[in-house]
């Protein structure tokens, strides 16, 4: 398994010199089992009950070191600092269990234009006994190009909240401890300011996991959870959560004075 501390240092020292127009075809893979203490810590941070069934978002943190290893490896065209996580879609065909032995694979694909630069997908999969049962697609934006100054779309009205959450100022550090994602924008106000944020911001994948936890007991065994990250949650924060039933699932969102996350759950 890659050493994330070394990889983040490598990204900071060498990443800004990167240039390129294509993605590498490399694949990173790992066979692993679940550490139940780690799973319990993740559950507590994200609001899930501790149980045998894995939260649909949990394998993302198992695959995360492979993602970072790939994006700091030779041939990857963009510096890691400055990439913006704009979307994440997870689909599972059946629940994963803490007793499952997981074969994880990660690759990058689909480099394409965006109105504010270029975007690409990091695809992570989990298989059990040769059967692929979980797929995670994280979309990242590399800002730049003529569209960077595009004006935002018309402001939408916030949905009616079904809950109000108070998010502590330490949630970035707590999630970093279980996810391995120690990007400095999440850890402290001082390090976040160095990257242009007034305060530390919550991880997008913590926000997604916290939303999914609110549907505990209501998710089908096979489901897809698709989110778009709209604006960072500055810590500490008070955010409105909304959940609306649809024909085949749910629509949900996190808001404060602006939309932070919008998503859907479908069976």
């Amino acid at each position: 398994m890659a050493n994330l501390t070394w990889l983040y240092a490598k990204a900071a020292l060498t990443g800004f010199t990167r240039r390129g127009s294509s993605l590498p075809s490399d694949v990173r893979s790992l066979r692993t089992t679940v550490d139940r203490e780690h799973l319990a810590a993740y559950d507590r941070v994200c609001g899930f009950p501790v149980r045998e069934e894995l939260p649909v978002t949990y394998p993302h943190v198992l695959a995360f070191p492979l993602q970072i290893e790939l994006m700091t490896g030779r041939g990857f065209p963009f510096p890691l600092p400055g990439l913006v996580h704009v979307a994440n879609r997870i689909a599972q065909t059946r629940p994963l269990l803490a007793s499952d032995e997981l074969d994880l694979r990660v690759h990058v694909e689909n480099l394409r234009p965006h109105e504010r630069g270029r975007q690409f997908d990091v695809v992570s999969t989990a298989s059990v006994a040769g059967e692929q049962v979980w797929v995670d697609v994280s979309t990242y934006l590399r800002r730049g190009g003529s569209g960077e100054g595009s004006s935002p779309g018309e402001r939408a009205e916030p949905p009616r909240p079904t809950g109000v959450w108070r998010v502590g100022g330490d949630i970035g550090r707590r999630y970093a401890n279980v996810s391995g994602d120690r990007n400095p924008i999440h850890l402290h106000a001082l390090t976040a300011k160095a990257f242009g944020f007034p305060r530390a911001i919550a991880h997008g994948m913590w926000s997604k996991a916290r939303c999914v936890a609110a549907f505990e007991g209501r998710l089908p065994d096979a489901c897809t959870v698709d989110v778009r990250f709209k604006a960072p949650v500055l810590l500490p924060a008070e955010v409105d959560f909304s959940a609306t039933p649809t024909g085949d699932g749910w629509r949900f969102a996190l808001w404060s004075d602006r939309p932070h996350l919008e998503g859907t759950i479908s069976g």
Side-chain angles (χ1 to χ4, degrees), residues 143-185:
R143 290 193 182 102
S146 59
E148 189 165 0
S150 300
S151 60
E154 183 178 349
R155 184 179 177 87
E157 289 297 318
R160 182 185 299 274
T162 54
V164 179
W165 299 341
R166 289 177 174 84
V167 185
D170 65 344
I171 198 63
R173 293 186 291 278
R174 292 176 60 206
Y175 186 76
N177 286 338
V178 297
S179 69
D181 185 352
R182 292 183 172 83
N183 187 323
I185 62 177

Side-chain angles (χ1 to χ4, degrees), residues 37-266:
E37 290 186 5
H38 180 262
L39 172 61
Y42 177 90
D43 288 338
R44 288 191 293 268
V45 169
C46 298
F48 293 101
V50 178
R51 57 178 183 151
E52 180 72 7
E53 185 176 314
L54 304 184
V56 67
T57 51
Y58 179 72
H60 180 93
V61 303
L62 300 181
F64 183 73
L66 299 178
Q67 297 173 9
I68 296 301
E69 185 179 359
L70 189 57
M71 289 192 287
T72 55
R74 182 174 298 178
F76 189 76
F78 306 124
L80 195 60
L83 290 179
V84 182
H85 195 185
V86 295
N88 175 268
R89 183 179 74 254
I90 296 174
Q92 68 175 23
T93 58
R94 65 128 167 117
L96 291 167
L97 304 177
S99 56
D100 286 332
E101 185 176 58
L102 305 178
D103 287 311
L104 303 174
R105 289 173 62 86
V106 175
H107 70 275
V108 291
E109 66 180 27
N110 198 15
L111 181 61
R112 58 202 185 274
H114 184 277
E115 62 180 7
R116 290 183 293 159
R118 288 184 287 176
Q119 62 184 352
F120 63 94
D121 297 327
V122 180
V123 180
S124 306
T125 65
S127 299
V128 178
E131 177 190 4
Q132 182 176 288
V133 295
W134 181 91
V135 180
D136 172 298
V137 181
S138 283
T139 301
Y140 287 89
L141 169 67
R142 172 61 179 170
R143 290 193 182 102
S146 59
E148 189 165 0
S150 300
S151 60
E154 183 178 349
R155 184 179 177 87
E157 289 297 318
R160 182 185 299 274
T162 54
V164 179
W165 299 341
R166 289 177 174 84
V167 185
D170 65 344
I171 198 63
R173 293 186 291 278
R174 292 176 60 206
Y175 186 76
N177 286 338
V178 297
S179 69
D181 185 352
R182 292 183 172 83
N183 187 323
I185 62 177
H186 302 301
L187 304 181
H188 298 280
L190 287 177
T191 52
K193 286 178 180 177
F195 290 87
F197 296 97
R199 305 196 299 275
I201 67 174
H203 296 74
M205 288 304 295
W206 175 85
S207 299
K208 177 173 182 174
R210 181 64 185 86
C211 289
V212 173
F215 293 96
E216 180 62 31
R218 293 180 286 177
L219 295 183
D221 287 346
C223 65
T224 298
V225 186
D226 196 355
V227 302
R228 298 290 182 269
F229 302 115
K230 298 291 188 176
V233 176
L234 299 173
L235 301 174
E238 184 174 283
V239 294
D240 293 337
F241 171 74
S242 69
T244 306
T246 62
D248 66 343
W250 298 85
R251 181 180 300 110
F252 60 94
L254 279 185
W255 280 73
S256 56
D257 59 334
R258 67 186 73 182
H260 298 295
L261 175 155
E262 294 176 351
T264 60
I265 298 172
S266 56

